[in-house]
Amino acid sequence: MTLLSEDQSVRPQPCRLPEPGKQTDASLLQHSTDYTGSKEGYMESGECAVFGAVEPPRRSRGRLILHGLVMFGREFCYAVEAAFVTPVLLSVGLPRSLYSLVWLISPILGFLLQPIIGSASDYCRSSWGRRRPYILVLGILMMIGLTLFLNGDAVISALVSDRSLRSIWSIVVVMFGVVLFDFAADFIDGPIKAYLFDVCSHHDKERGLHYHALLTGLGGACGYLVGAMDWGHSVLGRLLGSEYQVIFFFSALTWGIFLTVHLFSIPEQPLGKDPSASESSSTSALRLLVSHSNGYGALVKEPVSPTLTAPVTDLRPRSFSALGEANSVTSSAKQPNKEAQKRMTFKSLMKAIVDMPSHYRCLCVSHLLGWTAFLCNMLFFTDFMGQIVYRGNPYADHNSTAYITYERGVEVGCWGLCINAVSSALYSYVQRFLLPYIGLKGLYFMGYFVFGMGTSLIGLFPNVIATLILCSVFGVMSSTLYTIPFNLIAEYQREEEEQLKLQGSNKSPRGTGMDCAALTCMVQLAQIIVGAGLGALVNVAGSVIVVVLSASTMSLFGCIFIAFFIRYVE
């Protein structure tokens, strides 16, 4: 059952199973204890036996960094999209009242299709593994979307001579590219995290996530830095045709190289192939699965024959990602009857979210408020810089002073977003020092409060220097949203597991994936709210200054909610 590798450096520890209450359980315990003495396989805890988890080998630092480089490439492309999607759409003629709708389509698709794609990923039987085929397909879709987004206007201009028809087709092609890129970039994060968790031990998961966070910040900083440079008058700009083609060249090169490196960084065990697992150990794990009851987060399963003598051909490693484990929540052992496989549906996901404990539900609400505030600001910040701070006009002729001024504002906005990415990476380290003094809830409140105050000052005093300085508060919010809610979930579940141990309960612990999936859904729901409402709000107000004021308002509402409704943990 153990996945052997040349970089395995630590011998796995044997499993500590709970005290049995029946004679049959005692025999299973003895069998499991004997089995853990083997060098070939083991379970990492009592919970592992319930989940049928396999502790993978330790990974070297180099492999973890190579694995995390995909986050650098993804965030690089994300930064390019965040910086240029609104200016590009406005430059091809999209009305201001509709430009936020481009952010609406992708999250709706994600909100509805994520459980389906996640379930398909969990049961993929490709010889290349469960996650990498999906990462490859989504990576190719990202590349296609990026190509249409940054080159669609130039291609349509070369093919269509009629001006009105050219404008319509440019809007359609660019919008399709943005939606396709956004859809693929949102979805690829789940398989990437599932891939990391499937092939790494518990200690290496923490190290891997640390490298992911670090490389994400660096990738975003580099992406915004590329966007902040004036490529139109450079040698590359004259050679490739325009500024957007230069940015596409760097984005496609970065994404293609780092995606390839990621896919070959760590070998992945295919589903259905577990050469080191013995039939007896698999049967023992299945017996333990049958003997445990399901808690919150478990999905309704079709009846399975309780025979204990039939061999189980494979035992799937537990996944802890929002996309991976959300579709394999409490029982990750692969059943021999294919029809008995449990599949998460949109209905089961919604039911589990409604039935979750109140403190988890409050965490989801605060996460929704935070992401709504953050997206209000980030998705339209460069447009805010071009129109409000620099007083440019994106609808003016491309050779006019007003449009050139707007482009200059967009470039300076990219510098501001670059400051955001750097401050996010730095603040992730500062959090470690602040945690012992103010705790997770204090860090959560502080992130929302600092962001709310900073965006309100930007909206009230739109000065170039002040705005660039205050861009550092964006990074505080970004780091908070990506870390604190998931740390709170981990602490909540640790407390629940300790309570179960103290009570001597045989009830299985709740699967972590449902909670992560719920938080992921809040991100998509926030994007739906922003896409549906912000464009109309801008149209009513007649100015894009409303985007930063809306971000500030939502963030300060989030502060109040955190103070009164988020449960404190030590």
Side-chain angles (χ1 to χ4, degrees):
M1 292 171 62
T2 304
L3 309 180
L4 298 178
S5 174
E6 67 275 10
D7 55 357
Q8 182 173 359
S9 58
V10 177
R11 179 177 177 177
Q13 298 300 318
C15 169
R16 296 189 301 271
L17 293 176
E19 187 69 24
K22 296 183 180 180
Q23 182 62 33
T24 55
D25 289 340
S27 62
L28 288 174
L29 177 60
Q30 180 62 38
H31 174 84
S32 204
T33 305
D34 294 340
Y35 176 71
T36 54
S38 172
K39 294 182 179 180
E40 296 179 349
Y42 67 101
M43 298 287 187
E44 64 177 352
S45 67
E47 182 188 38
C48 297
V50 177
F51 282 86
V54 179
E55 180 76 358
R58 292 290 301 273
R59 305 296 179 182
S60 65
R61 177 182 300 174
R63 284 185 178 270
L64 293 176
I65 292 175
L66 292 177
H67 187 279
L69 283 176
V70 71
M71 300 304 294
F72 183 101
R74 173 178 174 266
E75 200 64 21
F76 186 101
C77 297
Y78 246 147
V80 169
E81 183 205 29
F84 288 101
V85 64
T86 301
V88 168
L89 286 171
L90 295 180
S91 67
V92 298
L94 186 71
R96 180 166 49 183
S97 60
L98 300 177
Y99 76 151
S100 68
L101 293 180
V102 72
W103 302 107
L104 185 62
I105 303 173
S106 174
I108 290 177
L109 293 174
F111 198 74
L112 297 175
L113 297 179
Q114 177 169 314
I116 299 173
I117 294 180
S119 182
S121 167
D122 276 340
Y123 295 102
C124 176
R125 287 186 168 272
S126 169
S127 60
W128 209 29
R130 290 186 298 157
R131 316 298 182 186
R132 288 188 291 179
Y134 284 85
I135 295 173
L136 177 61
V137 171
L138 291 170
I140 293 173
L141 291 179
M142 278 182 61
M143 184 73 78
I144 295 173
L146 193 66
T147 303
L148 296 176
F149 157 48
L150 290 174
N151 300 292
D153 186 28
V155 172
I156 295 300
S157 298
L159 297 178
V160 181
S161 57
D162 184 78
R163 185 168 183 175
S164 60
L165 192 62
R166 182 173 61 203
S167 177
I168 293 173
W169 275 107
S170 294
I171 292 173
V172 170
V173 171
V174 171
M175 284 190 67
F176 179 76
V178 172
V179 170
L180 183 62
F181 173 85
D182 206 40
F183 172 83
D186 285 344
F187 267 79
I188 202 171
D189 186 56
I192 288 172
K193 293 295 191 297
Y195 178 20
L196 174 70
F197 291 154
D198 286 347
V199 300
C200 290
S201 64
H202 177 73
H203 177 68
D204 288 339
K205 289 171 190 173
E206 296 179 355
R207 295 170 61 212
L209 287 175
H210 169 73
Y211 292 130
H212 276 208
L214 179 62
L215 292 169
T216 295
L218 293 177
C222 291
Y224 291 126
L225 189 63
V226 169
M229 295 181 180
D230 183 11
W231 297 103
H233 300 91
S234 66
V235 176
L236 277 176
R238 291 190 293 268
L239 180 65
L240 297 177
S242 74
E243 179 182 22
Y244 291 147
Q245 275 69 60
V246 176
I247 294 171
F248 168 74
F249 170 75
F250 284 114
S251 302
L253 184 66
T254 302
W255 176 242
I257 293 175
F258 288 165
L259 175 64
T260 304
V261 169
H262 168 77
L263 292 172
F264 292 95
S265 59
I266 302 177
E268 186 183 6
Q269 184 76 7
L271 182 63
K273 181 181 178 182
D274 199 358
S276 62
S278 67
E279 177 180 323
S280 58
S281 64
S282 301
T283 305
S284 299
L286 183 60
R287 289 176 182 174
L288 288 169
L289 277 167
V290 174
S291 67
H292 280 74
S293 61
N294 292 329
Y296 153 75
L299 304 180
V300 179
K301 295 180 286 186
E302 299 177 20
V304 182
S305 174
T307 178
L308 301 178
T309 57
V312 182
T313 57
D314 64 279
L315 216 57
R316 183 158 54 84
R318 183 181 180 186
S319 167
F320 289 85
S321 72
L323 182 61
E325 193 190 339
N327 302 285
S328 55
V329 181
T330 54
S331 172
S332 292
K334 183 79 171 65
Q335 303 292 344
N337 181 4
K338 187 174 182 179
E339 286 72 26
Q341 294 175 355
K342 59 184 186 301
R343 300 276 180 165
M344 174 174 283
T345 63
F346 180 76
K347 180 180 178 180
S348 64
L349 177 63
M350 291 298 100
K351 183 179 183 298
I353 291 175
V354 171
D355 293 339
M356 65 169 46
S358 60
H359 52 282
Y360 286 92
R361 198 179 302 114
C362 289
L363 186 60
C364 288
V365 173
S366 67
H367 203 55
L368 174 63
L369 292 173
W371 270 104
T372 303
F374 189 67
L375 292 176
C376 280
N377 182 73
M378 296 300 293
L379 297 183
F380 306 101
F381 180 72
T382 53
D383 183 51
F384 168 81
M385 288 291 292
Q387 291 196 57
I388 301 301
V389 179
Y390 274 79
R391 304 184 184 279
N393 184 6
Y395 299 106
D397 292 334
H398 287 199
N399 57 352
S400 65
T401 302
Y403 184 79
I404 293 174
T405 303
Y406 175 79
E407 279 196 324
R408 176 58 183 164
V410 171
E411 291 174 358
V412 175
C414 290
W415 282 106
L417 295 178
C418 180
I419 294 172
N420 147 68
V422 173
S423 66
S424 177
L426 294 176
Y427 184 69
S428 64
Y429 284 95
V430 174
Q431 282 180 330
R432 297 182 179 182
F433 299 102
L434 295 178
L435 181 59
Y437 299 100
I438 61 177
L440 286 174
K441 184 175 179 178
L443 285 173
Y444 205 16
F445 178 89
M446 189 177 73
Y448 279 51
F449 181 77
V450 169
F451 180 78
M453 295 302 296
T455 49
S456 64
L457 291 175
I458 289 173
L460 294 174
F461 308 102
N463 175 270
V464 177
I465 303 300
T467 300
L468 289 177
I469 293 173
L470 289 171
C471 282
S472 58
V473 306
F474 302 167
V476 174
M477 185 65 161
S478 173
S479 181
T480 299
L481 289 172
Y482 279 117
T483 56
I484 303 300
F486 298 97
N487 286 335
L488 284 170
I489 280 182
E491 291 300 318
Y492 291 160
Q493 292 177 341
R494 180 184 60 81
E495 289 180 352
E496 292 170 3
E497 289 174 3
E498 290 177 353
Q499 290 175 1
L500 288 176
K501 290 179 182 178
L502 291 175
Q503 296 170 1
S505 174
N506 289 329
K507 184 178 179 181
S508 61
R510 186 181 64 257
T512 58
M514 187 62 70
D515 306 322
C516 295
L519 289 179
T520 303
C521 287
M522 295 305 104
V523 178
Q524 294 165 341
L525 186 57
Q527 196 167 338
I528 293 172
I529 293 172
V530 171
L534 199 58
L537 196 60
V538 170
N539 198 39
V540 171
S543 172
V544 294
I545 197 171
V546 73
V547 299
V548 292
L549 296 179
S550 299
S552 174
T553 303
M554 293 298 296
S555 183
L556 294 176
F557 271 127
C559 285
I560 298 172
F561 190 89
I562 290 170
F564 288 98
F565 296 102
I566 295 300
R567 201 181 83 186
Y568 177 79
V569 291
E570 292 291 342

